[in-house]
Amino acid sequence: MAGLIMNHHEEFMAEAMAMAEEALAAGEVPVGCVFVRDRNIIARARNRTNQLRNATRHAELEAIDEILADPVLTPPGSSNAYPLSDTTLYVTVEPCIMCASALRQMGIKEVFYGCANDRFGGCEGVIGVNEAVQHPSHPPYKATGGMLREAAILILRRFYVTENTNAPVPKSKANRVLKTEISPP
């Protein structure tokens, strides 16, 4: 992107990619995100599942916890049933079913993500919990994929060609080669 003028969506996704790079450096599945309100980043996070040995510590949930713990961002006694109703999420990979559901429960306004999550995606990859699943009170949110898609795919591939020393039984990946060719969406 050097030399190109980025729009605000690309700028925020680039910030999410920086968090994914941080996750990769920490030996985590490289997923990063930023939550934006009024064109300002109010929270940023990365996966911490390996570090904390807790499968629920996805980037989105880490950032939601940060937002909910901040009385300025979510004032005590607020009448807003949806604390993220004026907030947009930028995340490098389509939120999994767990995270997509949490985002809906919190009333997220909108989600932009990099690449699809064909195995666990909750926006469209496996099931669209944001629109396809009926809920008695929580409104659906708009989810748009494909932003910095190639970069998101490549960082995941960089992780998956390495050995995950945190896996219960690490698989040898000595013969794996990083594929850089990406098929169109």
Side-chain angles (χ1 to χ4, degrees), residues 94 96-97 116-122 125-127 160:
E94 174 188 1
C96 71
I97 295 167
N117 184 342
D118 297 333
R119 294 181 67 196
F120 307 109
V126 175
I127 186 170
Y160 285 113

Side-chain angles (χ1 to χ4, degrees), residues 14-33:
E15 292 292 328
M17 287 300 302
M19 294 306 298
E21 288 286 349
E22 188 178 302
L24 180 65
E28 297 282 354
V29 175
V31 177
C33 71

Side-chain angles (χ1 to χ4, degrees), residues 6-180:
M6 294 191 291
N7 66 38
H8 70 278
H9 295 299
E10 291 167 333
E11 289 175 18
F12 292 131
M13 187 58 82
E15 292 292 328
M17 287 300 302
M19 294 306 298
E21 288 286 349
E22 188 178 302
L24 180 65
E28 297 282 354
V29 175
V31 177
C33 71
V34 296
F35 282 76
V36 176
R37 189 178 289 162
D38 299 322
R39 292 208 180 183
N40 294 304
I41 295 173
I42 62 168
R44 61 183 76 226
R46 63 171 177 83
N47 275 2
R48 293 179 60 209
T49 57
N50 290 334
Q51 176 186 350
L52 299 175
R53 301 220 181 275
N54 181 338
T56 68
R57 301 324 307 159
H58 291 193
E60 300 94 329
L61 297 182
E62 286 284 304
I64 287 171
D65 284 352
E66 182 181 324
I67 293 166
L68 294 178
D70 187 330
V72 173
L73 297 175
T74 51
S78 172
S79 62
N80 186 356
Y82 305 110
L84 300 180
S85 63
D86 57 354
T87 307
T88 300
L89 167 66
Y90 295 85
V91 61
T92 58
V93 177
E94 174 188 1
C96 71
I97 295 167
M98 173 183 69
C99 291
S101 180
L103 292 165
R104 183 155 180 199
Q105 299 298 317
M106 301 300 292
I108 192 82
K109 177 182 172 184
E110 191 169 12
V111 174
F112 290 92
Y113 61 90
C115 62
N117 184 342
D118 297 333
R119 294 181 67 196
F120 307 109
C123 293
E124 64 185 357
V126 175
I127 186 170
V129 297
N130 61 316
E131 291 180 350
V133 176
Q134 294 298 315
H135 191 282
S137 61
H138 299 287
Y141 55 86
K142 182 180 177 188
T144 305
M147 187 165 293
L148 298 185
R149 176 182 170 269
E150 292 80 12
I153 290 170
L154 284 175
I155 194 169
L156 286 170
R157 286 181 181 173
R158 285 172 42 210
F159 174 79
Y160 285 113
V161 297
T162 64
E163 290 185 39
N164 182 355
T165 57
N166 294 307
V169 180
K171 295 179 182 174
S172 175
K173 298 183 181 180
N175 296 328
R176 291 214 179 164
V177 176
L178 178 63
K179 286 184 5 182
T180 57

